[in-house]
Amino acid sequence: MGNADNYGYPSMMNNNNGENTGIHRVETPPPQPFFKSLKNTVKETLFPDDPLKQFKNQKPLRKFILGVQYFFPIFEWGSRYNFGFFKADLIAGITIASLAIPQGISYAKLANLPPILGLYSSFIPPLVYALMGSSRDLAVGTVAVGSLLMASMLGAEVNPAENPTLYLHLAFTATFFTGLFEVALGFFRLGFIVDFLSHATIVGFMGGAATVVILQQLKGILGLEHFTHATDVVSVLRSVFAQTHAWRWESAVLGFCFLFYLMLAKFLSQKRPKLFWVSAMAPLTSVILGTILVYITHAEKHGVAVIGELKKGINPPSIMDLSFGSKYMTTAIKTGIVTGVIALAEGIAVGRSFAMFKNYHIDGNKEMIAFGMMNIVGSCTSCYLTTGPFSRSAVNFNAGCKTAVSNIVMALAVMVTLLLLTPLFHFTPLVVLSSIIIAAMLGLIDYNAAIHLWHVDKFDFLVCMSAYIGVVFGNIEIGLVMAVGLSLLRVLLSVARPRTLVLGNIPNSMIYRNVEQYPNTNNVPGVLILDIGAPIFFTNSSYLRERISRWIDDEEDKLKSSGETTLQYVILDMGAVGNIDTSGISMFEEVKKNLDRRDLKLVLANPGAEVMKKLNKSKFIETLGQEWMFLTVGEAVEACNYMLHSCKPISSEDGSQKWSNNV
């Protein structure tokens, strides 16, 4: 560029008439003490919602009251509770209890646990959540996916049929660690970890788990006594068709009849939302009708398996059953963490969805603490994994609940069942429970969401299908690892391979945009404008160096073939570069040296405060020159154009053109 380096910033501030061109200096932010900067970073990472703001400038007593209300929201909204709310919550609570009772028994069987545990888990945990939860619509209880996951992970180590006591104790221990993990995430404000389960991952994982659960229910539908403990589709179908001689037609007919009734009730409720109670009452109605039918016909003597005796009474303590010294401790911890992540992902997603409908906010970290406490308390009171299932919460929402009191009503209804009604379930056929599970699981296979992912984002569709295929043809852990692995790979690729785009000028404006998105943009003669679309770290600095060099080579080749003005300036738009590390700064130094050797000038536009701070500390601004940094791409182009029109080309000995002062 000849004498370009000799032009100071002031010479670009004025045109030939001495008028100010409107170009402004890029400022370096004032230095901050290290600990203040660290404090701000931690605050933005862990406390983006500033939960302590409400405690500022408050008296000690008021701070104590606010603290109690923060951890126990019932004391905050309880003062505004009225009889109108109670009537709505009473109806909603009784409605979800009618769903919770048969689902609880069904899902406990799915987890290879005693059926009574499903009722226990619908009594204590909802009471804890009503005290600590911030969602008005979430209905707490056991879930099919969590039950299957627990059965799969614990069953791989301990056979529930051969050693039921040890298996039961491990289930309580895993539930305890689920709660401990959830409380830790909420207390230390680490809820963002759950965000690594993307929407595509959850869609595929839930769909795969639902498919596996449905296939597992063929044991109950066909009345089989012996069945595989594996969860993959191949093992399940092999087990089914290897026992065709053991199929019970009585059980199959009964199962498909009740399944048809359940699906018909669900279809009717979807077509007419006001009839939501038809679908909500269908599971309990099925249990009652199935029990009466078996009792009258003595079908249990003809191949129709029944639940048998259920122990009367409320939850016995199980704190002494927690197996902290067991050799299976590692399995319990791993099961607790994995099921905890899945339970949090489902519960928080469901809670936020219904909060959006009613236009209120729930705190994800507070929800984690509430989920964790109800699982810790539950593990000590003969309960296993609980969260906020979608089906039960949807019924609660549609029933018109106003507050978490609906959970209290549900818990009291379950308590009455435990104290008085459990003997009535003796003749309840297992095939009805299988039908209830299948009907609930069909709603989790969201093929419309998968089709939407295909149309919008092919990579998300790949993540979704990898989760589904991994769960269905491998096991739940494999599917989860595959989906999360692909999601993290996408994040890493976006960081390691950020987009770099060529910008052009939109006609009759000072706006510069991607030339591929806006084909009518004009190139600026002698100037290459590149947009860097991500922070610059050690993961992508080498790639960006090579990519910038390739853009320059391509631009010079294009200009050479067209005979246009040779390339003189390379402008880097730094608007999307939120941060930079030392590797990124070294990359800029190498790029500048490379451009200097090629007689090109590096120009930076719109660098942020954090970037300017580090460029200043590293002395790169002195190396580049403050005059080559601009607030906007428009100002940078204006300055470069001024330089180009203030110089004239001189042919060198090798035939190339250089520039000298023409002013």
Side-chain angles (χ1 to χ4, degrees), residues 113-128:
L113 293 169
I116 194 67
L117 259 66
L119 296 181
Y120 290 161
S121 301
S122 296
F123 174 43
I124 295 296
L127 295 176
V128 176

Side-chain angles (χ1 to χ4, degrees), residues 5 88 127 151 191 204 214 237 263 267 271 305 368 441 483 510 530 608:
D5 289 342
L127 295 176
I214 290 171
L237 292 180
M263 297 307 299
F267 175 78
K271 287 296 182 182
M368 291 179 186
M441 291 301 97
M510 290 290 288
L530 298 177

Side-chain angles (χ1 to χ4, degrees), residues 56-99:
K56 292 179 181 177
N57 303 320
Q58 298 289 346
K59 294 181 179 179
L61 179 60
R62 181 60 181 165
K63 287 182 178 180
F64 174 76
I65 294 173
L66 289 173
V68 171
Q69 292 178 346
Y70 180 82
F71 288 104
F72 300 95
I74 192 171
F75 292 109
E76 191 271 327
W77 54 261
S79 59
R80 303 189 302 272
Y81 199 73
N82 56 48
F83 185 70
F85 285 179
F86 177 71
K87 287 193 296 183
D89 289 335
L90 179 64
I91 295 172
I94 294 174
T95 305
I96 56 176
S98 68
L99 182 64

Side-chain angles (χ1 to χ4, degrees), residues 298-375:
H298 300 286
E300 76 279 7
K301 298 178 181 178
H302 301 282
V304 177
V306 296
I307 290 179
E309 183 181 357
L310 288 181
K311 184 179 178 181
K312 288 178 63 174
I314 59 175
N315 304 34
S318 57
I319 188 170
M320 301 307 295
D321 295 333
L322 300 180
S323 304
F324 296 125
S326 170
K327 64 178 181 178
Y328 300 106
M329 180 77 165
T330 304
T331 301
I333 294 175
K334 183 176 71 171
T335 303
I337 292 175
V338 174
T339 54
V341 170
I342 299 301
L344 282 179
E346 181 175 359
I348 292 176
V350 170
R352 285 176 175 170
S353 298
F354 290 113
M356 181 181 65
F357 283 118
K358 290 188 176 178
N359 195 29
Y360 69 92
H361 173 73
I362 64 171
D363 186 331
N365 289 294
K366 286 169 65 176
E367 286 293 278
M368 291 179 186
I369 294 175
F371 287 165
M373 288 306 300
M374 72 184 189
N375 277 305

Side-chain angles (χ1 to χ4, degrees), residues 18-32:
E19 298 172 344
N20 191 286
T21 60
I23 298 176
H24 303 87
R25 180 184 177 89
V26 179
E27 298 291 345
T28 302
Q32 279 189 340

Side-chain angles (χ1 to χ4, degrees), residues 160-390:
E162 297 175 358
N163 202 339
T165 302
L166 176 59
Y167 183 86
L168 179 64
H169 292 177
L170 286 179
F172 291 149
T173 309
T175 302
F176 176 84
F177 282 110
T178 294
L180 200 63
F181 174 70
E182 291 171 337
V183 167
L185 287 184
F187 185 79
F188 292 108
R189 316 287 294 181
L190 299 176
F192 60 86
I193 293 176
V194 180
D195 294 336
F196 282 101
L197 288 175
S198 65
H199 173 66
T201 301
I202 292 174
V203 169
F205 177 79
M206 289 296 185
T211 302
V212 169
V213 170
I214 290 171
L215 292 174
Q216 288 276 348
Q217 298 319 299
L218 292 176
K219 174 186 178 182
I221 294 290
L222 298 175
L224 300 175
E225 295 182 6
H226 304 287
F227 206 70
T228 179
H229 292 290
T231 58
D232 63 284
V233 62
V234 176
S235 299
V236 172
L237 292 180
R238 183 187 295 123
S239 181
V240 168
F241 288 102
Q243 303 183 70
T244 53
H245 60 282
W247 292 4
R248 299 281 187 174
W249 68 266
E250 302 93 338
S251 180
V253 170
L254 193 63
F256 283 114
C257 286
F258 279 108
L259 181 59
F260 175 77
Y261 164 68
L262 291 165
M263 297 307 299
L264 183 64
K266 181 179 290 187
F267 175 78
L268 182 62
S269 296
Q270 289 174 345
K271 287 296 182 182
R272 296 181 178 274
K274 290 184 178 180
L275 297 177
F276 70 90
W277 57 270
V278 175
S279 178
M281 297 293 291
L284 185 59
T285 305
S286 299
V287 168
I288 295 172
L289 291 176
T291 303
I292 294 173
L293 183 63
V294 169
Y295 180 77
I296 294 175
T297 62
H298 300 286
E300 76 279 7
K301 298 178 181 178
H302 301 282
V304 177
V306 296
I307 290 179
E309 183 181 357
L310 288 181
K311 184 179 178 181
K312 288 178 63 174
I314 59 175
N315 304 34
S318 57
I319 188 170
M320 301 307 295
D321 295 333
L322 300 180
S323 304
F324 296 125
S326 170
K327 64 178 181 178
Y328 300 106
M329 180 77 165
T330 304
T331 301
I333 294 175
K334 183 176 71 171
T335 303
I337 292 175
V338 174
T339 54
V341 170
I342 299 301
L344 282 179
E346 181 175 359
I348 292 176
V350 170
R352 285 176 175 170
S353 298
F354 290 113
M356 181 181 65
F357 283 118
K358 290 188 176 178
N359 195 29
Y360 69 92
H361 173 73
I362 64 171
D363 186 331
N365 289 294
K366 286 169 65 176
E367 286 293 278
M368 291 179 186
I369 294 175
F371 287 165
M373 288 306 300
M374 72 184 189
N375 277 305
I376 290 175
V377 174
S379 68
C380 299
T381 53
S382 300
C383 304
Y384 78 105
L385 177 72
T386 51
T387 183
F390 178 79

Side-chain angles (χ1 to χ4, degrees), residues 22 30 86 132 235 256 505 570 581 643 661:
F86 177 71
M132 304 188 67
S235 299
F256 283 114
N505 177 239
V570 177
D581 66 357
M643 288 297 300
N661 191 1

